[in-house]
Amino acid sequence: MRQQLKDFIEAIGKDAIAIIPAAHEVTRSYDTEFKFHQDPDFFYLTGFPEPDAIAVIAPSNKKAPLTLFVRPRDPLMETWYGRREGVEGAMKNHGAHKAFPIENFEKEMAKLVNGHEKLYYRFGVDTKLDQVVLQYLSGQRFRRLKTAYPPHTIVDPTILIHEMRLHKTEEEVELMQKSADIAAEAHVLAMQSAKPGINESQIEAIIEHHFRMNGAAGVSYNSIVGGGANATILHYVENNAELKDGDLLLVDAGAHYKGYASDITRTFPVNGRFTKAQREVYDIVLDVEIACLEATKIGNTIQQRQDLSIELLTEGMKKLGLLKGDTKELIKKKAYMKYYMHGVGHYLGLDVHDAGRYFTDAQAKNSRPFEAGMILTVEPGLYIPPDDKDAPAKYRGIGIRIEDDVLVTEDGNVNLTAKCPKQAEEIEEIMNSAQAQSAKG
Ligand code: GLY
Ligand code: MN
Ligand code: MN
């Protein structure tokens, strides 16, 4: 049995049963679908890759706790839309102890669920399944309770599963490292390929080609490839402008490898040489990134790291002449928000903005301390709008973000994306040797 499933079974206990649905395909237009993406909670517990499945997890059934309801084998459907594991495959290849065609779920539900005190189910995600569960619960109200009782407590399993997802196992860290390695290599390729005249879209293609050629299923979020002032748009995804001599290029791209995300940002000069003004901004962001990466460790809270990024970037903004005044006052007034308006990082895992709570209390008053097994990004940035009359002209339209993925351990941290160069000189060296090579060839 998968470790994740074992841990979940132990956590909910034998008085409980859980119903965890898979994702469904999503229509892109008319009769075509988006590429299927499995629900990460379902994937985490079962590893089952197909849409329209439901897992029923019953710890009371010690020998056979996992029942999967799946799309049945169907030669006609499979000829049109692809292979299915079916009931046999779910048991043989995916660890289900029992399996049924998905059509039987309603019929089997009462048999499986009755006799448990608690039902772990999350309402509000799969509205069709919500109706089935509600109908079952309401149907039970009319029963004379002389046989196995229905559950009287409904619990949302999300927090439990998300806390588990937040603390990565060794095996997960290995997959995350691989995802990070593929992304780091792709960013180096982007540096080697950038030059004036090439389109953002071509850089995006080079990166995503590398992901797919190295075992990743694709991207873990839509890649951001923004030249010049496009880098000042945080979620710029048009990626269709021509790169210009003298501009910077911001690339924020991560791979989706065996379910796990990486998330790297690098910013570099299209022509391979930072201008003096670009370098001034770059080095400020880089110093903040390194300091915040260092601060990603046990003993600090997530908020302390955020505050550090704000303080250092506010100092940096003063140095550049973007802000004037007392640092404490500027922070109090949130003056930095004009040029740095996002968090310094987030959890990373099956989702790019991964599961897990950021506070230790439901009121979100106490920031959570870093804990071993967490993986977070660190991604400070400075974005100077092109039309910002308050900024010195030489800095207008510069957008810089630098982002790495960091594992917290008992004794410090590990930068999973350390292979991706970020010192300005290193980047220039990589770009200039690539350009010299292509001039020769
Ligand atoms: N690209 C999404 C993020 O960096 O959070
Ligand atoms: Mn990113
Ligand atoms: Mn990120």
Side-chain angles (χ1 to χ4, degrees):
M1 207 189 305
R2 267 167 102 75
Q3 190 59 44
Q4 290 95 320
L5 182 60
K6 269 193 206 157
D7 294 344
F8 182 73
I9 284 171
E10 191 167 314
I12 68 171
K14 65 177 175 22
D15 293 336
I17 187 158
I19 296 176
I20 313 284
H24 303 292
E25 284 181 302
V26 179
T27 303
R28 175 178 154 155
S29 166
Y30 188 43
D31 60 353
T32 54
E33 279 80 39
F34 284 109
K35 199 169 179 169
F36 177 66
H37 186 76
Q38 187 56 285
D39 178 89
D41 289 349
F42 178 87
F43 181 79
Y44 181 78
L45 293 176
T46 68
F48 192 67
E50 293 185 11
D52 306 332
I54 299 173
V56 178
I57 301 164
S60 57
N61 194 342
K62 270 210 178 89
K63 293 221 171 82
L66 177 64
T67 302
L68 280 181
F69 290 83
V70 300
R71 301 179 308 179
R73 299 291 314 269
D74 179 333
L76 182 65
M77 291 299 280
E78 290 184 54
T79 300
W80 279 86
Y81 302 112
R83 294 187 180 86
R84 295 174 171 192
E85 285 289 358
V87 166
E88 298 77 17
M91 291 194 285
K92 202 163 139 230
N93 306 325
H94 296 280
H97 303 108
K98 269 186 281 173
F100 296 96
I102 187 70
E103 289 79 8
N104 295 19
F105 180 75
E106 249 178 281
K107 204 173 83 204
E108 295 295 327
M109 183 166 169
K111 280 188 248 169
L112 285 161
V113 176
N114 282 350
H116 296 91
E117 307 283 349
K118 281 191 242 172
L119 169 62
Y120 278 82
Y121 179 71
R122 182 181 198 179
F123 281 101
V125 176
D126 186 332
T127 44
K128 255 168 94 182
L129 185 57
D130 287 354
Q131 288 310 314
V132 174
V133 174
L134 284 171
Q135 238 159 38
Y136 153 75
L137 289 170
S138 116
Q140 295 301 311
R141 296 214 321 262
F142 300 105
R143 279 186 54 224
R144 287 170 195 281
L145 298 177
K146 288 184 177 164
T147 53
Y149 295 177
H152 52 78
T153 306
I154 316 291
V155 188
D156 185 337
T158 312
I159 295 289
L160 176 59
I161 301 170
H162 286 190
E163 281 303 301
M164 292 169 62
R165 280 176 53 186
L166 178 59
H167 299 94
K168 272 71 179 172
T169 62
E170 259 175 54
E171 195 190 356
E172 286 183 296
V173 170
E174 265 174 44
L175 294 171
M176 296 277 294
Q177 181 64 70
K178 178 73 183 167
S179 182
D181 288 348
I182 295 169
E185 290 155 12
H187 277 263
V188 171
L189 277 177
M191 291 170 192
Q192 289 168 331
S193 314
K195 57 181 176 194
I198 197 168
N199 198 285
E200 292 165 350
S201 157
Q202 291 170 290
I203 299 291
E204 181 179 21
I206 288 164
I207 290 168
E208 295 182 12
H209 174 265
H210 186 78
F211 288 175
R212 304 276 284 273
M213 292 302 282
N214 287 277
V219 296
S220 53
Y221 52 93
N222 291 333
S223 305
I224 298 165
V225 183
N230 293 340
T232 64
I233 302 166
L234 298 182
H235 286 166
Y236 173 79
V237 286
E238 282 106 328
N239 302 348
N240 58 7
E242 193 178 289
L243 298 179
K244 293 200 196 78
D245 203 354
D247 275 354
L248 289 174
L249 172 63
L250 182 151
V251 177
D252 182 347
H256 180 61
Y257 179 76
K258 299 200 171 161
Y260 287 88
S262 41
D263 183 7
I264 300 180
T265 307
R266 290 293 183 265
T267 312
F268 46 89
V270 168
N271 64 14
R273 282 261 171 252
F274 286 91
T275 64
K276 192 164 169 286
Q278 289 166 348
R279 184 68 194 267
E280 282 161 7
V281 186
Y282 188 87
D283 284 345
I284 285 172
V285 177
L286 182 61
D287 287 348
V288 178
E289 204 260 356
I290 291 167
C292 291
L293 203 158
E294 169 59 25
T296 309
K297 64 177 180 207
I298 291 173
N300 289 334
T301 66
I302 292 173
Q303 188 60 46
Q304 280 170 336
R305 186 179 75 148
Q306 179 67 23
D307 292 344
L308 178 67
S309 74
I310 290 170
E311 188 189 328
L312 296 177
L313 282 171
T314 302
E315 291 286 354
M317 290 173 210
K318 279 171 63 177
K319 214 158 124 193
L320 295 171
L322 298 170
L323 297 180
K324 286 181 191 68
D326 176 60
T327 303
K328 278 209 179 92
E329 272 305 304
L330 291 168
I331 292 173
K332 214 164 125 200
K333 286 194 305 202
K334 296 192 190 307
Y336 57 86
M337 293 273 284
K338 184 169 174 193
Y339 304 108
Y340 172 54
M341 60 301 276
H342 58 73
V344 73
H346 49 83
Y347 298 138
L348 185 71
L350 289 172
D351 278 305
V352 61
H353 297 156
D354 205 36
R357 289 182 147 188
Y358 286 86
F359 294 89
T360 55
D361 58 325
Q363 291 76 35
K365 291 213 169 97
N366 298 298
S367 180
R368 188 168 191 162
F370 291 109
E371 296 159 20
M374 287 177 171
I375 295 180
L376 299 103
T377 66
V378 51
E379 51 180 306
L382 274 179
Y383 315 90
I384 303 151
D387 54 359
D388 180 19
K389 300 277 184 304
D390 301 335
K394 58 183 176 175
Y395 300 135
R396 290 179 203 161
I398 290 182
I400 291 171
R401 179 165 63 256
I402 304 168
E403 177 174 27
D404 283 304
D405 304 343
V406 196
L407 165 70
V408 181
T409 71
E410 290 295 350
D411 33 45
N413 62 41
V414 182
N415 180 3
L416 301 180
T417 47
K419 286 183 197 136
C420 193
K422 62 185 173 187
Q423 293 291 339
E425 292 83 3
E426 280 177 286
I427 291 175
E428 287 181 340
E429 166 66 29
I430 286 170
M431 295 186 75
N432 293 325
S433 17
Q435 281 165 4
Q437 203 69 27
S438 91
K440 254 199 262 162

